[in-house]
Amino acid sequence: MQILDAEKESRIWPLFRLGFRVFFLGGALFSVLAMLLWLLSLSGMAVLPGVGNPIWWHAHEMIFGFALAIVAGFVLTAMQNWTGIAGIRGWPLAVVAGLWLLPRLLMPLRGELNPLVITLDLLWLPLVAGMVARPVLQVKQWRNLFFVPLFVVFTLLNALSYYAAFSGDWLLAERVFVTAVLALSGLIAVMGGRVIPFFTARATNTDKPEPRPWLEKLSLGTLWLGVFGWLLLPRTDGFNNVLAVMLLIAALANLIRLARWNSKLTPNIPLLWILHLGYLFIPLGLLALAAALLQWGISISLATHWLTTGALGMVILGMIARVSLGHSGRPLVIGRPVVIAFVLLLLAALIRSLLPILLPGMTNMAYHTSALAWMLAFGIFSWVYWPILTRPRIDGRPG
C-alpha cells in the first residue's frame, strides 16, 4: 500500500478514508431500515407512500441497495491491496456514496418510477466501475478487471428492473432479480474460493488445500452459465429442464468444493463458521431453484431466499465483520454480541427457507420472524462496528 501524506489523510473524515467504511456501515444500516419498512408494509401499514409495488421495492432494494453496496465497499477497498495503488477516498468516495444513498431515501417517497430516482440509481455503479478500473489498468492486473464488466452487468440488470416496473411486467422483474441474486452468488463463489480456504488455513494452522482446476472450472462455469441461462433462456419445459440440470451440476460441484475447505475445523471459530455455513447455502439454494424449475413443490421466490437470506446475508455479515477489523488495524477477534448476530442471521436463513416448506400455514410468521432476526443481526453489527468504522485506524496508518 502506498504511503499517504499523514496531514492530508487527517483532514478526511474517517468514514470516507476507504470504501469499506461508508459502504459497510451504510449498507448494514440501510438493510435494517429497509427490512423494517418491509415488515411494516407486510403488516398493512402505509410506510411506502410513493411505491406502487412493495414486493418489487423489497427485492430491488435488498439486491441493488444493500448487497451491491457491500460489494462496492469490499472491491474499492481490496483494490488497494491487490494493486498497491491508494484506494478512492475523500470527496470522490463521498460523491459515489451519496449517489447510492439518495435513491434509497427518495424511492419510498417518490416511487420506483420517478425519473430522478432512476437516474441517480443508475449512476453510482458505473462510477464504482470506473474507480475500480483505474488502478487495475495502471498496473495491468487483468485478473481483477473481472469486476468492471460485472458492475456494468449489474447496472444493466438494474435498468432492466426499472423497465419491468415501468411496464408492470412482474415476470420480467422476477427474472431480473433472480438473475442478479445468482450473479451475486457467483461472485461469492469466485471470491469465496480465494479467501475462505486461506482464512481457514491461517486460523487453524493447517495447509491450504490446493484448488483443483477441473473442479474450479466446473463449479464456477456451471454457476455462471446458470446466471445467463436464467436471464436469457425461454421459459418452456424443455429449457427449464436444461437450466435445472445446469443448476444441479453447479450445486454438486460447489458442495464438493466446500467439502475440501476443512469446514470440520471451524465450529469454535465464529469468523470462519459463518463463512462456511453461508457458502453452504449456495449449493442448497441452487438445488432449491432447480426444484422450482422442475415444479417439485417449491416456488421460485422461496427457493431464491435460500440464496438471499442464507448465502448473501451470512457471507456478507461474516466478511464485513472480518474485513472491518483487519482494515482498521484491529485483531481478528469478535465479542459475544457479534457471535449472537451470526446466530440470529443463521436462524433468519433457516426460518425463511425451511418453515414455509415444513409448515406452510406458518409462512406469514416465517416472514415476520426472519425479518426481525435479520434486523437484530445487522443492527448489532451496526452498533458494535459504528466506532470502528467512523474512527481512524488504531495503528495510525492511513485507511
Side-chain angles (χ1 to χ4, degrees):
M1 184 175 65
Q2 291 186 355
I3 298 175
L4 301 177
D5 180 78
E7 183 180 350
K8 182 179 179 181
E9 178 82 358
S10 67
R11 292 198 296 266
I12 302 173
W13 185 21
L15 190 64
F16 297 116
R17 291 186 183 178
L18 265 183
F20 80 96
R21 292 176 173 273
V22 62
F23 279 115
F24 287 3
L25 185 58
L29 286 170
F30 172 71
S31 81
V32 175
L33 175 62
M35 198 63 77
L36 174 61
L37 293 177
W38 174 238
L39 192 59
L40 294 176
S41 181
L42 282 177
S43 301
M45 299 180 66
V47 292
L48 301 168
V51 174
N53 186 337
I55 299 176
W56 182 98
W57 173 85
H58 170 64
H60 180 274
E61 291 301 272
M62 295 309 292
I63 295 169
F64 295 102
F66 162 64
L68 279 167
I70 303 300
V71 171
F74 177 82
V75 175
L76 287 172
T77 302
M79 280 298 166
Q80 176 170 276
N81 291 344
W82 295 339
T83 64
I85 296 174
I88 296 296
R89 58 206 343 105
W91 70 263
L93 180 58
V95 167
V96 74
L99 287 172
W100 163 78
L101 180 61
L102 281 174
R104 316 280 77 83
L105 300 179
L106 290 174
M107 196 183 300
L109 302 175
R110 299 291 182 177
E112 67 271 37
L113 304 182
N114 181 271
L116 178 61
V117 169
I118 297 172
T119 301
L120 291 173
D121 201 30
L122 294 179
L123 281 177
W124 77 276
L125 277 176
L127 282 179
V128 172
M131 292 173 174
V132 168
R134 182 183 62 86
V136 171
L137 294 174
Q138 280 184 254
V139 300
K140 299 180 181 179
Q141 198 178 72
W142 309 122
R143 180 191 185 194
N144 289 318
L145 196 62
F146 157 80
F147 291 98
V148 177
L150 187 64
F151 281 127
V152 173
V153 168
F154 279 121
T155 301
L156 294 175
L157 289 173
N158 195 13
L160 197 54
S161 74
Y162 280 110
Y163 171 77
F166 180 80
S167 60
D169 189 343
W170 173 248
L171 290 178
L172 174 61
E174 183 184 65
R175 181 183 286 242
V176 170
F177 291 145
V178 177
T179 299
V181 168
L182 283 169
L184 285 165
S185 302
L187 177 58
I188 288 176
V190 171
M191 298 308 300
R194 294 187 189 183
V195 302
I196 295 176
F198 173 69
F199 290 165
T200 304
R202 287 190 63 182
T204 59
N205 293 315
T206 56
D207 293 331
K208 176 180 174 291
E210 289 300 318
R212 294 177 178 173
W214 69 268
L215 182 58
E216 296 298 296
K217 291 176 182 178
L218 183 64
S219 58
L220 299 178
T222 51
L223 179 47
W224 284 103
L225 283 174
V227 172
F228 292 103
W230 196 282
L231 180 65
L232 300 174
L233 288 179
R235 282 294 179 268
T236 64
D237 289 343
F239 281 112
N240 282 350
N241 291 339
V242 170
L243 185 54
V245 170
M246 189 70 66
L247 295 176
L248 284 170
I249 295 171
L252 293 175
N254 276 281
L255 273 175
I256 296 170
R257 193 174 184 232
L258 175 61
R260 302 185 65 249
W261 294 349
N262 291 323
S263 300
K264 62 182 179 295
L265 303 177
T266 66
N268 295 322
I269 309 173
L271 281 173
L272 288 182
W273 65 249
I274 186 73
L275 298 178
H276 283 257
L277 284 177
Y279 196 95
L280 177 61
F281 273 89
I282 292 181
L284 293 178
L286 296 176
L287 289 172
L289 280 174
L293 288 171
L294 297 172
Q295 300 181 14
W296 287 354
I298 182 173
S299 68
I300 288 175
S301 174
L302 178 55
T304 304
H305 279 82
W306 284 81
L307 294 173
T308 53
T309 315
L312 300 186
M314 292 177 66
V315 173
I316 281 175
L317 185 58
M319 285 299 296
I320 63 179
R322 182 188 182 95
V323 170
S324 297
L325 294 174
H327 280 281
S328 61
R330 290 168 169 81
L332 299 178
V333 178
I334 58 173
R336 182 173 295 178
V338 179
V339 177
I340 292 173
F342 289 173
V343 173
L344 284 168
L345 197 55
L346 174 59
L347 290 175
L350 292 173
I351 291 169
R352 183 62 181 84
S353 303
L354 283 176
L355 195 58
I357 298 175
L358 300 176
L359 298 168
M362 302 183 70
T363 296
N364 197 48
M365 191 187 96
Y367 293 166
H368 287 75
T369 306
S370 62
L372 181 60
W374 177 290
M375 289 163 51
L376 288 171
F378 280 94
I380 290 171
F381 169 85
S382 302
W383 168 61
V384 172
Y385 280 78
W386 179 282
I388 294 173
L389 295 170
T390 59
R391 294 175 185 171
R393 288 177 61 113
I394 62 172
D395 57 9
R397 295 175 61 189

